[in-house]
Amino acid sequence: MDINIFNSLSREIEKFEPINNNSVSLYTCGPTVYNYPHIGNYRAYVFADMLKRFLQYRGYKIKHIMNITDVDDKTIRDSKINNKSLKDFTEFYTEEFFKDRDILNIIPPDKYTKATDYIDEMVSMIEQLLEKGYAYRGDDGSIYFDIRKDKEYGKLSHFKLTDLKTNADGRMKKDEYDKENTEDFALWKAWDENDGDVYWETSLGKGRPGWHIECSAMSIAELSEQIDIHTGGVDLIFPHHENEIAQSECSTGKQFVKYWMHNEHLMVDSKKMSKSLGNFYTLRDLIDKNINPLAFRLWLYTAGYRTKTNFTLESIKASEVALKRLNDAFLDLSEYIDGSIDKEYKNKLIAYMSNDLDTPGALSLLWDLVHDTNISKADKRATMLDFDNIFGFGFDKLKNDIIPQNINELVSERELARENKDWAKSDELRSRINELGYEVKDTDNGPKISKI
Ligand code: AMP
Ligand code: ZN
């Protein structure tokens, strides 16, 4: 069955055909490590993880690279505010990111590339752009990309250079700006006092790279001049990915990325969740509210990756209840270990996911499987485990709770009350068990106890 995905470049659903048969090169723009990522950022990383899991499920061999932006305007600004060296400051947030990644069952990429480890590659790419006439040195000593020399500039964001209102010699030294301010952008930023001790002495002079050149240089160094899939949130389309295309294609003369895939935003009250608006939650915030962070993963699947989602604590809590039901359903099958994967369900899962990663459809199929009474318990368990290769809920890591002695005793007492048809006592005992943080479910195989 073909895999069809939406390519932001053509703005169409396209059949997925990797450049080299069975192997897929995948690059994900990773975090700028100047703060704890918020869960909007994790939408981007869970999306990339789910895409990768699915392609692996379909038999592709993936080489996945994710960068860590450990030098840019924001990391320099905030390391100074915090009186820390850039290295110490960014290493701390990199470690915090890794912790969240593990909590969310995100599979690590084959390699994390730190921008500061690839300065040489960036410098040589900028040298090529200078040689080919796509770049020039501004009077401030920084090196800029001349967007008017690149006839294809704007092809990802779908605008024409002739429509731009800016004057031809406008220059942008900042990493982030909006379309209205489209100008020649900085490849290499000549040192100024705001940079403090953050600089490299190179053939380009004393300075540091612009943010956009980092991803071009790292993806080409670790993958190839032509890569299959590049992911990120939609806010990266302009200017970051537009500029990545310009730099990479003008220096290599080849198409840089075959499929650009972008996740939509996680919103709060109709506004993008972001650091600057202050309307964000971190993963820690959810954990502090006693919410199972994997419920966030399930919550993300309830909408397609190209749909804006509105974050509310209530909706995450509803997903937490749903995840608990799934986990309980899986744990109830613990003893049935020798099943086989149901082919019909597997094919349906493939059909949903091959349709531009239809996770709401895939999730409803998982519920159908859980509720299906015609499939044997052993096969159901095996199929749930197989599905989890894509969902990443971590069913295989679930363990039946160790039930304390006093709870076991109350449950036995309740069983006795039920045998004696003393329903009032049985209900009272159930309430006591609940108060102590456990719940008891009556099944064909006797009472099942679990933590609430
Ligand atoms: P940054 O660390 O700011 O470069 O962002 C890391 C990733 O998170 C990028 O792929 C962004 O596009 C993505 N991102 C940022 N905010 C949101 C949001 N509210 N919803 C979804 N993705 C986001
Ligand atoms: Zn990037």
Side-chain angles (χ1 to χ4, degrees), residues 296-432:
F296 174 63
R297 229 183 140 111
L298 186 144
W299 181 80
L300 286 172
Y301 295 152
T302 59
Y305 74 96
R306 289 198 292 124
T307 307
K308 284 196 174 86
T309 46
N310 198 43
F311 176 81
T312 59
L313 273 179
E314 288 67 39
S315 60
I316 295 282
K317 283 182 184 157
S319 290
E320 191 181 26
V321 172
L323 182 61
K324 180 156 186 344
R325 290 208 183 115
L326 287 176
N327 287 343
D328 286 350
F330 184 78
L331 284 171
D332 281 348
L333 303 169
S334 303
E335 302 143 45
Y336 306 92
I337 47 174
D338 288 328
S340 10
I341 299 163
D342 185 278
K343 289 217 172 60
E344 218 174 297
Y345 272 105
K346 189 176 180 92
N347 287 339
K348 282 188 189 162
L349 180 70
I350 288 175
Y352 279 120
M353 293 300 288
S354 301
N355 178 19
D356 197 24
L357 309 170
D358 176 2
T359 53
L363 207 51
S364 71
L365 183 71
L366 176 59
W367 285 112
D368 289 349
L369 171 65
V370 166
H371 295 136
D372 194 336
T373 48
N374 293 319
I375 173 171
S376 79
K377 291 188 173 175
D379 287 359
K380 186 185 280 195
R381 183 176 184 278
T383 311
M384 283 182 83
L385 265 182
D386 180 60
F387 276 28
D388 202 42
N389 287 319
I390 298 178
F391 287 117
F393 295 137
F395 289 152
D396 58 339
K397 289 189 239 161
L398 291 174
K399 287 201 181 63
N400 280 313
D401 300 325
I402 296 167
I403 310 299
Q405 185 56 21
N406 62 333
I407 302 291
N408 275 324
E409 280 165 12
L410 287 171
V411 172
S412 308
E413 236 182 278
R414 181 172 169 272
E415 279 308 285
L416 204 66
R418 277 162 54 83
E419 270 168 36
N420 297 333
K421 302 205 176 351
D422 186 347
W423 306 121
K425 183 153 190 208
S426 148
D427 284 349
E428 187 203 313
L429 284 161
R430 179 197 284 278
S431 306
R432 269 179 52 204

Side-chain angles (χ1 to χ4, degrees), residues 18 37 47 58 91 97 142 175-176 218 240 250 278 310 336 452:
F47 157 64
R58 292 294 309 264
E91 274 179 358
F97 169 69
S142 297
D175 287 329
E176 288 180 82
M218 289 186 278
H240 187 51
C250 291
N310 198 43
Y336 306 92
I452 293 177

Side-chain angles (χ1 to χ4, degrees), residues 206-232:
K206 175 176 171 176
R208 63 180 172 99
W211 173 38
H212 316 296
I213 197 78
E214 297 181 0
C215 283
S216 285
M218 289 186 278
S219 55
I220 290 179
E222 290 298 333
L223 292 168
S224 127
E225 290 182 342
Q226 295 194 284
I227 62 182
D228 290 303
I229 309 179
H230 192 126
T231 70

Side-chain angles (χ1 to χ4, degrees), residues 29-32 34 38 40-41 43-45 74 211 232-236 263-267 272-274:
C29 283
T32 304
Y34 73 112
H38 56 68
N41 299 132
R43 184 172 194 194
Y45 307 131
K74 293 187 282 197
W211 173 38
V234 285
D235 55 311
L236 295 191
N263 61 278
E264 251 303 344
H265 281 149
L266 194 155
M267 315 287 284
K272 176 191 164 195
M273 180 178 281
S274 68

Side-chain angles (χ1 to χ4, degrees), residues 158-171:
H158 297 257
F159 67 82
K160 290 203 178 64
L161 271 179
T162 44
D163 295 340
L164 292 178
K165 294 187 195 80
T166 50
N167 52 8
D169 56 3
R171 272 173 218 146

